[in-house]
Every structure is written in structure tokens, then in C-alpha cells.
Amino acid sequence: MTEFFAMGGYAAYVGTAYGAAVVVLAGLVVATLARRRSSRRNLEALEQLRGRGRRA
Amino acid sequence: MHRFANPARFLRLSAALRPWALGVALLTLVAGLWLALFDSPPDYQQGETVRIMYIHVPSAWMAMMVYATMAVASAVGLVWKHPVAELYTKAAAPLGAGFTALCLLSGSLWGQPMWGTWWVWDARLTSVLILFFIYLGYIVLVSAFDDPQRGLKAGAVLTLVGALNLPIIKFSVDWWNTLHQPASVVRMDGPSLDPAMLWPLLLMAVAFTALFAWLVLLRTETEIAERRIRALRLATAIAARRDEVPGLEQPVA
């Protein structure tokens, strides 16, 4: 286990590379899901508004 | 091709494909990370730093592949006025930029211990940096117009011109002297990589590709929703003032 975390003395480089991958990929996932949620909410609200306008 | 021009059809197809893309991404990511970090040997020259390869090489492939799909979609959008194609390009660009940033970052973190430098201005590194700037330029350009349709069109032209950079990246290691090694997986005489390293590399490449597919489907769906939101807002705004202008037609949202 200690050997694994030492990474032959290169732990800082290997760890930072994998950390950067997690940050970049998770960031893309979070941004994608957040924008999708807000856009869905907007669309639903607008379609409801439109539906009400038609009935009136 | 025109079968997918209809957003409704695309949305159905996308909803059906998305769970598969996510499933493949998660499975291959777990298996790939396990092999990459725990179950593959250190390199006889590079030691443990070779594990950076399993991040660096797949993200480099994605950086180029995403751009290639954007270039094809841009051509389809410009030639056939395909409405989903240009939205796909917009949806894919930030993902491509992310993979390119990851490629540059991980490359730098590999270069420092192995080459003794974070960065050199050689052909391979510089052309990938240019690719990153093209992605950023596309993102800025597309959102710089009041009329989103004009932005998408300008972006499509930029994407096609920028595609000239792809062969330069690919062959830069053969055409110019560089610190960067030439291809060791995609080559005429087959991969020159040991299977113990090839497997985690391929699994991570599949994981990145499937993750991209999942994200780009979600993002294209969102772009379609955003387009519909704009149309509905316009229709609602006009409907609200219809009484003021006799004879004004109700637009079709």
C-alpha cells in the first residue's frame, strides 16, 4: 500500500494527472447536468404558460 | 442522414442510446482504472510515470476525434442545413476543449519527470495548443451573435477551416524533430505496446469515448430544448402584443 502511494517517487506527477482527469471530467458532467436541469425547467414553465394562453 | 434531421426523432434515439453509453462508460472506467493503477507493470525506462499514459493518450485521441466529428457535423450542417448537426457541434465543443486541456495538463505532468521540462514549443505540443485555442475560439464565436443561427453558421465555417490542424497534429511527430515520441498504438505494423499496457489504455479510451457520447447526447438534447425555449419566448412576446397591431400573424413556435 505504501509502495502504491509512493509511485516510485513520482506520486506527485501521477497523482496530479489522475486528479486533473477527475476534476475536468466531473466538471463537464456537473455543468452538463446543471444546464440540462435549468433548461428543462424553463421549457416546462413556458409550455404551461402557452397552454393556459390557448385555453383562455 | 435526413432521418435524424427531425429533432423529435433524434430525441427518441438519444433517449434510447444514453443509458447504454453511460453503462459502458462506467464499466470500462472502473476496469480501466483498476488495470491502469493496480494491475499493470511500471515501464522499464519510465517507471511509474507510464501510468500517466492511460490518461494522456485517451484524452489526446478524444481531443482529435471530437474535433473530427464536429468538422463532419459542420459540413453536414452547412451543406444540408441539418438542424441537429449544428447543435451537435455546439454541444461537443466544450467537451473537446476539456479533453484537450486534460491532454495538455497530463502531458506536461509527464514531460517534467521524463523530459526534464513541462513544455517545449515543438510541433506536436504547439499544434495541440492551437487545437485548444480553436475550441475556445469556436465557443466564443458561436455565442457572440444576437441571432444564434448566425453564430452556429460562423462556428461551422471556423470548425471546417480549423480541421486543417488535425493532420498537422497527427503527422507532426513524423514531419518535424520533436521530444514527443511517434505513435506506438495506431501504426502500420500494429501496436508496439505490451498487452499489459495496451489493455488499460484501450479500456480507458473506450471509457472516455462512451462518456463523451453520453454527455454529447445530453447536451444536444439541451440545445434542442434551448432552441424551442427561444421560439416559445418569441411567440409569447408577440402574442402578448398582438392586439396592438391588427393583422399580425401568430408565429409558429
Side-chain angles (χ1 to χ4, degrees):
Chain A
M1 205 60 183
T2 328
E3 201 184 325
F4 171 77
F5 282 110
M7 276 284 158
Y10 294 119
Y13 299 107
V14 179
T16 312
Y18 279 79
V22 170
V23 169
V24 169
L25 298 181
L28 291 174
V29 170
V30 168
T32 299
L33 292 179
R35 179 143 183 271
R36 173 184 166 82
R37 190 178 315 147
S38 82
S39 135
R40 281 191 137 185
R41 208 175 290 155
N42 270 337
L43 187 57
E44 265 170 39
L46 271 170
E47 272 174 348
Q48 231 167 27
L49 190 72
R50 220 168 106 86
R52 224 184 299 144
R54 271 202 189 141
R55 255 174 276 129
Chain B
M1 188 56 83
H2 279 276
R3 286 191 299 130
F4 305 111
N6 182 346
R9 198 186 302 249
F10 171 83
L11 289 174
R12 274 201 303 279
L13 186 75
S14 177
L17 289 177
R18 255 196 289 113
W20 291 98
L22 181 60
V24 170
L26 291 176
L27 281 176
T28 50
L29 196 61
V30 170
L33 278 175
W34 173 261
L35 287 183
L37 287 173
F38 301 102
D39 205 10
S40 59
D43 185 71
Y44 79 105
Q45 279 183 328
Q46 310 200 9
E48 302 285 346
T49 60
V50 76
R51 300 189 196 284
I52 296 175
M53 173 176 71
Y54 308 123
I55 299 290
H56 178 69
V57 172
S59 53
W61 283 342
M62 292 310 295
M64 295 180 66
M65 203 190 69
V66 170
Y67 197 91
T69 66
M70 283 171 59
V72 171
S74 293
V76 169
L78 283 175
V79 174
W80 288 292
K81 307 266 176 277
H82 190 301
V84 179
E86 49 194 12
L87 293 179
Y88 167 88
T89 312
K90 189 182 175 200
L95 303 174
F99 283 119
T100 313
L102 189 53
C103 168
L104 291 166
L105 273 171
S106 57
S108 198
L109 286 159
W110 200 4
Q112 173 61 22
M114 289 301 108
W115 297 344
T117 179
W118 299 102
W119 185 263
V120 280
W121 290 102
D122 75 359
R124 171 55 73 89
L125 280 67
T126 308
S127 54
V128 174
L129 185 66
I130 290 172
L131 177 67
F132 182 60
F133 288 144
I134 293 175
Y135 274 124
L136 296 188
Y138 173 89
I139 294 168
V140 172
L141 181 68
V142 162
S143 56
F145 290 81
D146 287 334
D147 177 4
Q149 219 45 51
R150 292 187 60 191
L152 288 172
K153 193 165 184 184
V157 174
L158 172 70
T159 307
L160 284 177
V161 175
L164 285 172
N165 193 29
L166 286 186
I168 295 179
I169 295 175
K170 169 70 185 152
F171 296 112
S172 57
V173 284
D174 305 323
W175 291 343
W176 292 287
N177 274 324
T178 166
L179 277 181
H180 199 286
Q181 64 173 63
S184 39
V185 178
V186 187
R187 42 190 287 160
M188 297 299 278
D189 51 355
S192 63
L193 206 59
D194 189 84
M197 292 179 179
L198 192 57
W199 270 111
L201 184 60
L202 293 181
L203 279 168
M204 290 299 280
V206 173
F208 278 24
T209 309
L211 184 69
F212 166 75
W214 180 63
L215 285 171
V216 85
L217 288 173
L218 277 175
R219 298 175 69 91
T220 308
E221 286 180 24
T222 304
E223 290 300 333
I224 291 173
E226 288 290 321
R227 175 178 276 184
R228 174 128 181 93
I229 287 169
R230 273 192 304 275
L232 280 174
R233 283 209 173 118
L234 189 65
T236 318
I238 291 177
R241 306 192 61 180
R242 199 165 37 159
D243 303 335
E244 297 170 27
V245 189
L248 184 63
E249 298 266 339
Q250 178 84 310
V252 185

